[in-house]
Amino acid sequence: MKAALEWQIACGADESILDAPVDRTVVVSDPPEAKPSLAQSPMAMSTLLDVDAVAVSRDMAAAAPDLDALRAAMEAYDHCELKRGARQLVFADGVPGARVMIVGEAPGREEDLQGKPFVGPAGQLLDLMFRQIGLLRSSPDTERALYITNVLPWRPPQNRDPLPEEMAMMLPFLERHVELADPELIVASGNHACMALLGQRGITRLRGNWTTAFGRPVLPMFHPSYLLRTPEAKREAWADLLSLKARLRT
């Protein structure tokens, strides 16, 4: 039993999501083909009924008058399959109205457990980095505060990369999130954040070059998790932080 458990963990099954165990070693015959029923998942029903998941998210996001309403709308959105595999929605952290808004990619395991973005090792590095230029997610002063969110509010299984269709259906929520949080500047942290905000990827080429998204200045930067894997890139990250600090002084 111990060896079987170790094998499951090695294969990536490090969390239980059912009330009772399932014996995956038993070979079962294929069940007879069944007709679609109304009990199918919302994603499957969206396909069957030709529901435009992006249009639904756009309408729900536009109807949210404030951040609390936006969070409730995202909680109620049922067209993203990630919602069914995640423990909870990870909405944001920090101070709404902060001059700087950081947009990451998607929650990881620790974020999924705690319900806040950037709280694992990458989050600790992010806090350390921005503290060096006087910005804190816990600061009550909006001049020195950070506001942090992700492109996706739910953890992808096994921390896989976000899929294009997942980012597309959540993008209207992100755009409305930016409007309501009203930052002066945005930091796009990592490739997927750049893809969502700028329609471009290639972070080694994009980083450090100011651009625009949602009508606001955007600075692409390496994701802290990349910096943990590639410490030599911290030199470029420090240059980007200094660029951000100089931009805030103007």
Side-chain angles (χ1 to χ4, degrees), residues 99-181:
R99 296 182 69 190
V100 177
M101 181 176 187
I102 299 174
V103 177
E105 300 177 349
R109 183 176 184 275
E110 289 301 317
E111 289 77 13
D112 188 36
L113 290 171
Q114 298 187 39
K116 294 182 179 181
F118 286 97
V119 294
Q124 295 169 16
L125 178 57
L126 180 140
D127 288 340
L128 179 62
M129 290 167 55
F130 282 86
R131 191 181 303 129
Q132 304 311 305
I133 60 170
L135 298 177
L136 304 166
R137 71 168 89 189
S138 59
S139 175
D141 180 3
T142 56
E143 291 290 314
R144 302 183 64 246
L146 291 172
Y147 187 70
I148 308 171
T149 190
N150 283 311
V151 175
L152 298 183
W154 295 290
R155 179 194 180 190
Q158 303 304 317
N159 293 344
R160 65 157 170 75
D161 288 344
L163 300 178
E165 55 268 29
E166 293 166 347
M167 292 198 295
M169 68 178 66
M170 301 312 297
L171 186 59
F173 289 115
L174 177 60
E175 183 172 8
R176 184 60 174 153
H177 203 154
V178 171
E179 291 175 357
L180 294 172

Side-chain angles (χ1 to χ4, degrees), residues 27-31:
V27 179
V28 296
S29 59
D30 293 334

Side-chain angles (χ1 to χ4, degrees), residues 68-123:
D68 289 339
L70 181 66
R71 178 173 187 145
M74 293 169 69
E75 291 274 14
Y77 184 73
D78 279 332
H79 297 283
C80 184
E81 281 296 307
L82 293 177
K83 180 179 179 180
R84 269 150 285 285
R87 292 177 181 270
Q88 59 185 315
L89 178 135
V90 178
F91 184 67
D93 194 21
V95 182
R99 296 182 69 190
V100 177
M101 181 176 187
I102 299 174
V103 177
E105 300 177 349
R109 183 176 184 275
E110 289 301 317
E111 289 77 13
D112 188 36
L113 290 171
Q114 298 187 39
K116 294 182 179 181
F118 286 97
V119 294

Side-chain angles (χ1 to χ4, degrees):
M1 291 179 66
K2 182 174 181 292
L5 178 61
E6 291 173 344
W7 169 244
Q8 291 185 53
I9 293 174
C11 290
D14 58 353
E15 298 181 46
S16 61
I17 59 174
L18 298 176
D19 294 331
V22 177
D23 189 350
R24 300 296 184 185
T25 65
V26 175
V27 179
V28 296
S29 59
D30 293 334
E33 185 175 351
K35 294 182 179 179
S37 70
L38 293 178
Q40 288 179 300
S41 69
M43 180 71 80
M45 289 304 299
S46 296
T47 302
L48 290 172
L49 301 176
D50 291 327
V51 173
D52 187 338
V54 176
V56 172
S57 64
R58 189 181 300 118
D59 291 343
M60 294 178 70
D66 54 39
L67 290 172
D68 289 339
L70 181 66
R71 178 173 187 145
M74 293 169 69
E75 291 274 14
Y77 184 73
D78 279 332
H79 297 283
C80 184
E81 281 296 307
L82 293 177
K83 180 179 179 180
R84 269 150 285 285
R87 292 177 181 270
Q88 59 185 315
L89 178 135
V90 178
F91 184 67
D93 194 21
V95 182
R99 296 182 69 190
V100 177
M101 181 176 187
I102 299 174
V103 177
E105 300 177 349
R109 183 176 184 275
E110 289 301 317
E111 289 77 13
D112 188 36
L113 290 171
Q114 298 187 39
K116 294 182 179 181
F118 286 97
V119 294
Q124 295 169 16
L125 178 57
L126 180 140
D127 288 340
L128 179 62
M129 290 167 55
F130 282 86
R131 191 181 303 129
Q132 304 311 305
I133 60 170
L135 298 177
L136 304 166
R137 71 168 89 189
S138 59
S139 175
D141 180 3
T142 56
E143 291 290 314
R144 302 183 64 246
L146 291 172
Y147 187 70
I148 308 171
T149 190
N150 283 311
V151 175
L152 298 183
W154 295 290
R155 179 194 180 190
Q158 303 304 317
N159 293 344
R160 65 157 170 75
D161 288 344
L163 300 178
E165 55 268 29
E166 293 166 347
M167 292 198 295
M169 68 178 66
M170 301 312 297
L171 186 59
F173 289 115
L174 177 60
E175 183 172 8
R176 184 60 174 153
H177 203 154
V178 171
E179 291 175 357
L180 294 172
D182 196 24
E184 182 179 327
L185 309 169
I186 300 173
V187 172
S189 183
N191 254 326
H192 297 291
C194 289
M195 192 64 200
L197 292 168
L198 310 174
Q200 302 180 63
R201 56 185 303 123
I203 189 63
T204 55
R205 171 177 51 85
L206 295 171
R207 58 135 295 268
N209 297 302
W210 285 93
T211 183
T212 304
F214 301 151
R216 300 162 200 267
V218 176
L219 177 64
M221 289 184 62
F222 288 128
H223 195 283
S225 62
Y226 174 79
L227 298 177
L228 291 174
R229 300 191 304 270
T230 316
E232 59 269 24
K234 291 179 180 178
R235 172 175 153 179
E236 285 79 9
W238 178 241
D240 296 343
L241 287 171
L242 293 179
S243 176
L244 175 61
K245 182 178 182 179
R247 187 72 174 245
L248 289 170
R249 285 178 173 173
T250 58

